[in-house]
Amino acid sequence: MTAGVPAAGADLVLRGRRFGPEHPVVMAVVNRTPDSFYAAARYDDDGADAAVARAEAEGADLVDLGGVRAGRGPEVTAAEEIARVVPLVERVRRRHPELLVSVDTWRSEVARAAADAGADLLNDTWAGHDPALAEVAAERGLGVVCSHTGGLPPRTDPFRVAYPLPEGVPADTDPRDGVLIDVLDTLRAAAARAVGLGVPPESVLVDPTHDFGKNTWHSLHLVRRTAALVELGHPVLVALSRKDFVGETLDLPPEQRLEGTLAATALAAWHGARVFRAHDVRATRRTVDMVASIRGDRPPSRATRGLL
């Protein structure tokens, strides 16, 4: 480790491909939802196909396909979610064989259908609400994302959530670390269960899940303490893109949150996060590659200044 540089995060392995610190992983968001919080990310079938092609061209390693808005909205049945997502999984696998495919779902029946269609990763953003989802990942040889929602069920918003410090912590513990301790305990247990089921540790991602079950202060603190998440020993995924904590911090709508997102992304990357879920692929790719080079993990694409 270079002096003054935080420890690199764990390598990620999906479909036999290993990603180390020299190659930060950009996960492109492609939603088949008509009511995504970010209007620019709402795609019909043709739009989703074009978005996937554009994401690959701009440097995405992985696409995260979703069929249900994370927050409140009209009910979407499992059958409708499958109809929105699974044909897209099949097309991506056929048309973009080098692109890894993630499916953003909390339902095991959707996960199973996605696995049959060729998915590589199950992005469970609702913290094991359906325990069978991790079982699908183990049975089908897929990766899985373990998340933290503070106990909230799917598609609910936080309200006056609090994470007091548990009893027995050292007296000098930062009181803001209450949320970090809860996140670490939840992710540690979920990751251990996934590994116990048979998912390889390097294919178990941990996501602090900013905004979910958290207020803006909580999410800011978790960005600040990314290095503690890295110490769990699994690849860390951060989903920061245009989220409410960015918008509230800068008092900006989703359409104007890119700079704030990239600032948070750079900090998380510096502290060892491995996977970056993003709406803005090209900007994120350039940001995380630059951070990796500053850290000393990635050589410059060219370095001729002063040599020619």
Side-chain angles (χ1 to χ4, degrees):
M1 183 193 308
T2 303
V5 176
D11 288 1
L12 169 69
V13 177
L14 291 175
R15 207 203 306 165
R17 294 170 57 187
R18 180 174 294 274
F19 298 89
E22 75 288 349
H23 190 116
V25 177
V26 176
M27 171 194 266
V29 180
V30 179
N31 288 325
R32 276 287 290 109
T33 53
D35 56 349
S36 172
F37 84 96
Y38 180 41
R42 300 170 187 167
Y43 300 112
D44 59 14
D45 279 337
D46 291 341
D49 291 341
V52 170
R54 183 168 59 252
E56 184 174 41
E58 292 181 353
D61 307 289
L62 178 63
V63 288
D64 191 39
L65 312 179
V68 183
R69 176 189 168 110
R72 297 177 182 177
E75 180 184 0
V76 179
T77 66
E80 175 62 20
E81 186 181 356
I82 289 171
R84 289 178 177 182
V85 171
V86 169
L88 179 57
V89 174
E90 293 172 342
R91 294 197 302 274
V92 174
R93 175 58 65 239
R94 184 173 67 254
R95 298 173 182 175
H96 307 274
E98 297 304 311
L99 199 57
L100 295 167
V101 180
S102 169
V103 172
D104 181 355
T105 186
W106 74 89
R107 292 165 163 154
S108 59
E109 59 266 51
V110 178
R112 195 173 301 278
D116 290 343
D120 302 295
L121 176 68
L122 302 177
N123 183 12
D124 179 10
T125 52
W126 287 104
H129 178 77
D130 181 347
L133 187 144
E135 296 170 11
V136 173
E139 292 167 5
R140 300 302 180 88
L142 309 185
V144 67
V145 178
C146 299
S147 61
H148 174 277
T149 65
L152 290 181
R155 308 197 69 191
T156 55
D157 295 327
F159 180 72
R160 299 190 182 280
V161 289
Y163 296 95
L165 289 175
E167 294 183 6
V169 301
D172 60 350
T173 301
D174 185 338
R176 296 173 297 182
D177 272 348
V179 65
L180 175 67
I181 292 169
D182 199 86
V183 167
L184 291 173
D185 288 347
T186 297
L187 296 183
R188 188 180 294 111
R193 178 175 182 266
V195 171
L197 289 169
V199 183
E202 61 270 25
S203 300
V204 176
L205 292 78
V206 290
D207 176 7
T209 327
H210 302 80
D211 274 4
F212 287 48
K214 301 166 189 71
N215 62 31
T216 288
W217 294 108
H218 295 143
S219 292
L220 288 169
H221 191 64
L222 289 168
V223 174
R224 189 182 304 127
R225 300 286 270 119
T226 299
L229 299 163
V230 169
E231 291 175 3
L232 289 172
H234 296 277
V236 173
L237 181 154
V238 289
L240 308 170
S241 187
R242 298 181 182 268
K243 281 195 166 178
D244 282 350
F245 84 94
V246 176
E248 290 190 358
T249 299
L250 301 176
D251 193 19
L252 294 171
E255 295 75 18
Q256 298 179 33
R257 296 175 184 174
L258 176 58
E259 297 92 344
T261 294
L262 295 178
T265 296
L267 281 171
W270 175 254
H271 286 291
R274 173 67 69 247
V275 183
F276 305 86
R277 186 176 184 271
H279 297 95
D280 305 276
V281 172
R282 179 180 286 116
T284 302
R285 173 87 270 158
R286 291 173 177 173
T287 297
V288 297
D289 282 353
M290 188 68 188
V291 173
S293 295
I294 294 169
R295 281 179 47 89
D297 299 328
R298 171 189 178 274
S301 296
R302 64 182 177 88
T304 58
R305 182 174 173 80
L307 300 177
L308 298 177

